[in-house]
Amino acid sequence: GISEREDRIAHLAFHDTLTGLPNRALFREQTAAALRQALHRGATIAVLCIDLDNFRQVNDTLGHPVGDALLRQVAGIIAPWVGDALLARLRGDEFAVLLVGEERDRPRLLGQKLLDRIREPITVAAHQIVTTASIGIAVAPADGSTADALLKNADLALHRAKADGRGTLRFFESALDAEAQARRQLELDMRDAIAG
């Protein structure tokens, strides 16, 4: 009984209770391990951050139970397409995929397939829901040599995809990081000016 409880606690520490998928902590750990191996072998890995567009409207209009059911269905839609790649739920309506040692065009092709599949109407609790997703992609080692940098840069690319009209995918570019840093500095300067 104690062993089973310890296993259950360990599982809960690294898995999302809603979808059963690995959580952010496990995804980050696995990304760091894959990155170390990839850098040693001279290989590449890619992180895809996938976020549902307008998910909040589902929760606001149909309720959180329907939103939760939608997240479980989306996880089920994504899983078969990623094969043996690691799929995780990072938070809220954001998922991530870790592709290791894949061919060069695989992140874009997979991202487009996921966008197309998620765009198809989904029936949840007798409600037909039409949603889209936005995807940000970062490829290591070019876009980051640590798990945190890779996740941050995939997230920046995701925000660019959202800003560019949603329902699309974007790869990380170094200009995105420069823009984010400049925006952060502007916010700090404005806060200082207001306080001063």
Side-chain angles (χ1 to χ4, degrees):
I2 292 172
S3 168
E4 285 179 16
R5 273 198 310 272
E6 287 175 352
D7 289 347
R8 178 88 177 121
I9 289 167
H11 181 81
L12 289 173
F14 291 106
H15 289 82
D16 173 51
T17 55
L18 180 67
T19 62
L21 293 174
N23 63 15
R24 176 179 282 280
L26 183 55
F27 188 82
R28 189 190 165 284
E29 185 180 286
Q30 293 294 313
T31 301
L35 198 48
R36 282 191 298 273
Q37 290 181 357
L39 292 172
H40 180 70
R41 293 191 330 258
T44 61
I45 68 169
V47 169
L48 287 74
C49 282
I50 306 155
D51 189 81
L52 297 181
D53 298 325
N54 303 314
F55 177 73
R56 187 174 180 175
Q57 288 180 347
V58 173
N59 278 339
D60 290 348
T61 59
L62 301 176
H64 288 275
V66 173
D68 288 350
L70 175 62
L71 291 174
R72 283 191 292 271
Q73 284 212 32
V74 168
I77 288 167
I78 296 172
W81 288 101
V82 303
D84 60 357
L86 179 65
L87 169 63
R89 179 176 175 221
L90 299 185
R91 64 176 170 260
D93 61 329
E94 188 174 340
F95 297 87
V97 177
L98 173 64
L99 296 176
V100 180
E102 299 285 347
E103 59 271 14
R104 186 180 177 94
D105 213 28
R106 174 86 169 122
R108 185 187 60 76
L109 293 173
L110 174 62
Q112 192 56 57
K113 281 191 187 325
L114 294 177
L115 291 177
D116 293 343
R117 183 61 187 90
I118 292 169
R119 193 174 284 130
E120 294 175 14
I122 301 169
T123 302
V124 180
H127 299 282
Q128 189 172 66
I129 300 171
V130 178
T131 189
T132 58
S134 297
I135 299 178
I137 304 172
V139 181
D143 298 339
S145 57
T146 68
D148 289 334
L150 204 54
L151 278 163
K152 176 186 77 107
N153 291 338
D155 205 45
L156 285 171
L158 169 64
H159 289 293
R160 174 50 59 91
K162 294 253 185 209
D164 286 351
R166 303 171 187 248
T168 188
L169 65 85
R170 292 291 178 262
F171 280 84
F172 173 76
E173 300 166 6
S174 56
L176 296 177
D177 191 39
E179 286 174 20
Q181 297 301 329
R183 195 169 42 251
R184 182 177 186 284
Q185 188 58 52
L186 179 62
E187 289 170 3
L188 291 172
D189 292 345
M190 289 174 63
R191 193 171 295 135
D192 287 346
I194 292 169

